[in-house]
Amino acid sequence: MGKPLIPIGTPIYLGDDALTQLDLWLKKEKMSSVFILVDENTLQHCLPRLIGRVKSLANAEIIELESGELNKTPDVVLQVWRVLSELGADRQSLIINLGGGVLSDLGGFVASTFKRGIRFLNIPTTLLAQIDASVGGKTGVDLDGLKNEIGTFSEPEAVFIYPDFLQTLSKREMLAGFAEAIKHGLIADASYWKKIKITSIADNQAWPELIARSVEIKSEIVQEDPKEKGLRKSLNFGHTIGHAIEAFFLERVSSSVLHGEAVAAGMICEAWLSNQQAKLSADELEDITQFITQRYLPITLDDDADHRLIELMRHDKKNEGGKIRFTLLERIGQAKWHVACSPDQIIEALQYYRYSVKSALLIR
Ligand SMILES: NC(=O)c1ccc[n+]([C@@H]2O[C@H](COP(=O)([O-])OP(=O)(O)OC[C@H]3O[C@@H](n4cnc5c(N)ncnc54)[C@H](O)[C@@H]3O)[C@@H](O)[C@H]2O)c1
Ligand SMILES: [Zn+2]
């Protein structure tokens, strides 16, 4: 087999030959049966290409799930467990997650719990999953609208990243995924942030390098702190408020906000908190705010949303001692975690977000 992207840890293959590497991997391993999890979009856009390139998958069982965060639930997990059981899956079976972060989070959770754990592979098909969600071993589902409330730490056997799958992804989904790359630069690598600022995600030539650097940053962090005792918390920058915004909109079916869009807004709020609580300079705050507001559409959060958003933040897994804890930036490229912020400060951060998106709209 070819060389994985990262020399240690879960093998991650990236590039045009990722599907060839998958073929080689499947020939090398023994398994009793293979189940490919897809949603209606990856069934249409990615599965034919996968099976066309990897002939040994022609006899795999296909399990189709309905796409969307609203389906990342224990109910769907139960349905998949049942299907696997009915189709005779055993401990030598293999699950292949062919999809975005919703599918790999759910499929990884199913695999890690079915018969006390069976092997699985991730083949991420969204930018967000290629640069972030498919790597790092977090699996899980939402519970009654609370993000990732149930889950496990379970590594796939390997990850195969084929950037060409992104050709059919919408611009909106590409931009949502880009938010996680922005996060990687902000928490860990100022020169990557500079590169991100001049990257156009419409340019498919730029994808492999972007994916490679993001995966490297995430893998290094995860290898040092797989169970999130400290350093791994840095990956949660933008996510305390971001997850609350995402969950807030999941409760309201009338409008929808994607995970990456909520994280982009969360990063503006948490950059403001970083300026107040963690030494991030006013210039850097301005730099981050401008970059994000110029690219992402504003999310409408009425003032009366604040109370519910804070309630949702109280469920965040990073909290301790009854306080809402944040990952903040000391400067671009350097994160600090476990910082408690008060509800009043959080409300001010949300006000800063409202003000910033309004100003950006006036400039447009
Ligand atoms: N486990 C982790 O470490 C981790 C990290 C970040 C995010 N996440 C989770 O990831 C989820 C978001 O993932 P996502 O943004 O990939 O969303 P997603 O899985 O919902 O995919 C987005 C949409 O794109 C469609 N799609 C997928 N691949 C396609 C393709 N190649 N062409 C056309 N359409 C395609 C999907 O069907 C879906 O409608 C959230 O639940 C978030 O919590 C997990
Ligand atoms: Zn995320």
Side-chain angles (χ1 to χ4, degrees):
M1 288 192 64
K3 264 197 182 163
L5 183 65
I6 317 280
I8 46 171
T10 302
I12 301 168
Y13 296 93
L14 163 68
D16 284 345
D17 78 334
L19 300 183
T20 313
Q21 296 302 328
L22 168 66
D23 201 19
L24 292 171
W25 190 93
L26 291 167
K27 283 180 179 139
K28 184 168 71 69
E29 299 287 323
K30 280 203 171 67
M31 59 212 75
S32 52
S33 50
V34 180
F35 297 85
I36 306 179
L37 259 50
V38 293
D39 63 27
E40 72 280 7
N41 296 313
T42 61
L43 176 76
Q44 183 190 345
H45 299 297
C46 309
L47 188 67
R49 208 146 174 202
L50 176 70
I51 293 187
R53 290 279 297 270
V54 185
K55 302 283 182 230
S56 54
L57 290 177
N59 296 323
E61 293 279 358
I62 311 299
I63 302 181
E64 186 186 341
L65 312 177
E66 205 177 314
S67 70
E69 186 73 32
L70 282 170
N71 297 304
K72 202 176 107 173
T73 61
D75 289 352
V76 176
V77 169
L78 191 61
Q79 288 169 25
V80 183
W81 282 334
R82 287 213 171 98
V83 171
L84 287 171
S85 205
E86 280 159 16
L87 293 175
D90 61 28
R91 293 188 87 177
Q92 293 311 314
S93 298
L94 175 78
I95 292 184
I96 298 182
N97 297 319
L98 180 67
V102 165
L103 198 125
S104 56
D105 275 11
L106 187 141
F109 181 69
V110 164
S112 73
T113 46
F114 186 76
K115 295 196 192 279
R116 295 208 177 86
I118 64 173
R119 292 172 297 169
F120 68 102
L121 302 176
N122 283 343
I123 308 182
T125 62
T126 62
L127 181 63
L128 189 137
Q130 295 200 343
I131 65 171
D132 197 322
S134 65
V135 175
K138 277 191 185 176
T139 79
V141 291
D142 307 335
L143 179 69
D144 300 333
L146 293 177
K147 284 282 301 175
N148 305 329
E149 188 78 342
I150 311 294
T152 60
F153 283 106
S154 317
E155 284 285 346
E157 295 301 306
V159 182
F160 299 90
I161 306 175
Y162 183 61
D164 255 23
F165 278 142
L166 304 181
Q167 302 281 6
T168 52
L169 201 64
S170 69
K171 274 193 196 141
R172 184 180 174 194
E173 291 289 356
M174 284 297 286
L175 196 60
F178 192 52
E180 303 281 8
I182 296 173
K183 177 193 76 181
H184 294 141
L186 291 178
I187 61 167
D189 182 351
S191 61
Y192 184 43
W193 162 249
K194 283 193 187 131
K195 199 157 229 172
I196 280 171
K197 288 205 291 181
I198 52 166
T199 298
S200 158
I201 46 160
D203 171 16
N204 55 7
Q205 306 289 323
W207 298 343
E209 206 183 319
L210 190 81
I211 298 165
R213 185 63 194 128
S214 271
V215 167
E216 260 170 26
I217 291 174
K218 181 157 184 189
S219 302
E220 275 167 22
I221 293 173
V222 170
Q223 271 164 26
E224 209 170 312
D225 177 22
K227 293 278 167 72
E228 201 165 309
K229 305 272 184 256
L231 178 69
R232 187 169 182 166
K233 291 189 170 77
S234 58
L235 289 164
N236 292 318
F237 176 64
H239 281 65
T240 307
I241 294 181
H243 272 158
I245 294 175
E246 192 185 359
F248 180 83
F249 281 92
L250 282 173
E251 292 172 345
R252 287 156 185 76
V253 267
S254 53
S255 50
S256 81
V257 168
L258 303 176
H259 174 79
E261 293 169 338
V263 168
M267 286 193 288
I268 294 180
C269 300
E270 295 181 19
W272 185 86
L273 290 171
S274 302
N275 174 248
Q276 300 289 305
Q277 298 272 87
K279 296 194 291 204
L280 183 76
S281 72
D283 284 352
E284 289 188 313
L285 170 62
E286 182 60 21
D287 189 19
I288 296 167
T289 306
Q290 271 204 18
F291 183 75
I292 297 178
T293 53
Q294 280 165 9
R295 278 158 190 81
Y296 291 83
L297 286 173
I299 296 174
T300 306
L301 292 166
D302 297 332
D303 289 350
D304 55 10
D306 292 0
H307 177 67
R308 181 65 189 140
L309 287 169
I310 287 170
E311 255 176 27
L312 288 164
M313 284 175 227
R314 291 196 191 285
H315 289 278
D316 193 282
K317 288 182 280 304
K318 294 184 302 304
N319 294 344
E320 250 180 65
K323 299 223 164 86
I324 304 174
R325 307 271 175 178
F326 286 82
T327 293
L328 300 179
L329 302 176
E330 293 192 304
R331 56 174 191 277
I332 289 178
Q334 180 65 51
K336 175 183 180 183
W337 47 92
H338 211 53
V339 185
C341 294
S342 68
D344 284 350
Q345 286 172 314
I346 298 170
I347 289 171
E348 274 192 71
L350 290 162
Q351 290 295 11
Y352 173 76
Y353 173 75
R354 291 182 183 105
Y355 165 78
S356 308
V357 294
K358 227 180 250 164
S359 318
L361 278 181
L362 292 176
I363 293 167
R364 262 176 207 199

